[in-house]
Amino acid sequence: RSPPHASRRSPPHASPGPRARALLEPCASLTPLNVPRGVRASSSAPRRRMAGREAGHVEGIELHSRVERDRWCVTRNDLAAFRRLVQKGVRNEEIKRTALDDFGPHDRIIGPSLYTVNEQLVKPVTKAAGGMSWALMLHPTGLKCDLFVTHAWQEGVYELIDKVLYSWPQGAKHAYICVLANPQNLDIGGLISEPSESPFARSLAAAHWMVVVPNQKGSIYQ
């Protein structure tokens, strides 16, 4: 397999502190049917319509309006925990093969695609939590981006995470990875309607490093 390419753009920062690690602890026993302890579900939140966006996700809409777009990030530990969570979902048959993604349930190298993981894990859990992204579900005040990860959604989630963890630049703290950074239950099209103000552009501008992740399915540039 081709190794990912990391581009260093500024001096390194200190490693993540105990607070960032502590925020990950509620996810230790998370399944696609459970919300992390301490995260309030939005079932009692008032439903309201906002132009160009879905109703029923007021908490997520307000959170993403308040937190700067270059702060929708996760830590290295968050990624490692997310990998374990996907494995648990596959093992418990909560993440299942589809007609478009016939992944091997015993595979520990490639894993289900990002499309499958998004539909069967990310979207259900974040919807129950209020409609915010996975990143802001874990870190409601946000984490400043210093690592931008670009990849393809057809790749396996284990392959993606393992390559990112292996290539994580020394000193990097917080990574923007779109499947976890963007609110998958909200209007992502609206978020990128002005490209220069999109979360992609804002996070890339803030990042000190960028990692380009190849995969076994095909070129990320196609």
Side-chain angles (χ1 to χ4, degrees):
R1 293 181 296 178
S2 301
H5 175 70
S7 174
R8 179 177 172 179
R9 297 171 59 185
S10 81
H13 301 276
S15 58
R19 180 178 178 279
R21 291 193 296 271
L23 283 169
L24 193 58
E25 291 177 1
C27 279
S29 61
L30 180 64
T31 74
L33 301 180
N34 298 324
V35 178
R37 294 184 296 275
V39 175
R40 182 166 57 92
S42 64
S43 57
S44 62
R47 297 174 65 88
R48 93 181 50 154
R49 290 194 177 277
M50 300 181 71
R53 293 176 179 173
E54 292 185 32
H57 300 301
V58 176
E59 292 179 57
I61 291 170
E62 292 179 346
L63 190 58
H64 281 272
S65 297
R66 184 169 67 250
V67 178
E68 291 291 334
R69 295 180 176 189
D70 58 3
R71 297 182 63 87
W72 302 355
C73 293
V74 294
T75 68
R76 196 175 189 276
N77 285 346
D78 292 340
L79 277 181
F82 189 78
R83 191 193 198 286
R84 294 193 296 270
L85 198 57
V86 173
Q87 286 184 282
K88 181 178 180 181
V90 171
R91 184 171 61 250
N92 295 342
E93 298 186 344
E94 294 168 325
I95 298 176
K96 301 178 180 180
R97 290 181 285 185
T98 71
L100 298 177
D101 185 14
D102 190 26
F103 66 89
H106 302 294
D107 168 43
R108 296 293 182 269
I109 304 299
I110 305 299
S113 74
L114 271 292
Y115 293 110
T116 299
V117 171
N118 185 49
E119 290 297 326
Q120 299 187 31
L121 175 60
V122 174
K123 291 178 74 173
V125 171
T126 56
K127 180 178 181 179
M132 68 289 290
S133 69
W134 194 276
L136 292 192
M137 179 181 72
L138 295 181
H139 309 284
T141 60
L143 300 170
K144 185 69 172 180
C145 179
D146 55 20
L147 173 60
F148 185 92
V149 176
T150 181
H151 63 96
W153 276 52
Q154 74 266 27
E155 71 191 315
V157 64
Y158 304 153
E159 182 181 20
L160 169 66
I161 291 176
D162 289 349
K163 287 182 175 180
V164 171
L165 295 180
Y166 180 81
S167 302
W168 192 278
Q170 183 179 4
K173 296 179 180 180
H174 313 131
Y176 175 91
I177 303 176
C178 61
V179 67
L180 302 178
N182 295 340
Q184 300 298 330
N185 290 295
L186 301 185
D187 178 19
I188 295 180
L191 292 175
I192 62 176
S193 59
E194 295 184 31
S196 63
E197 292 301 314
S198 70
F200 297 95
R202 294 284 299 276
S203 298
L204 183 59
H208 302 308
W209 297 270
M210 181 173 71
V211 172
V212 180
V213 186
N215 66 84
Q216 297 191 23
K217 296 289 187 178
S219 171
I220 68 170
Y221 300 113
Q222 291 180 344

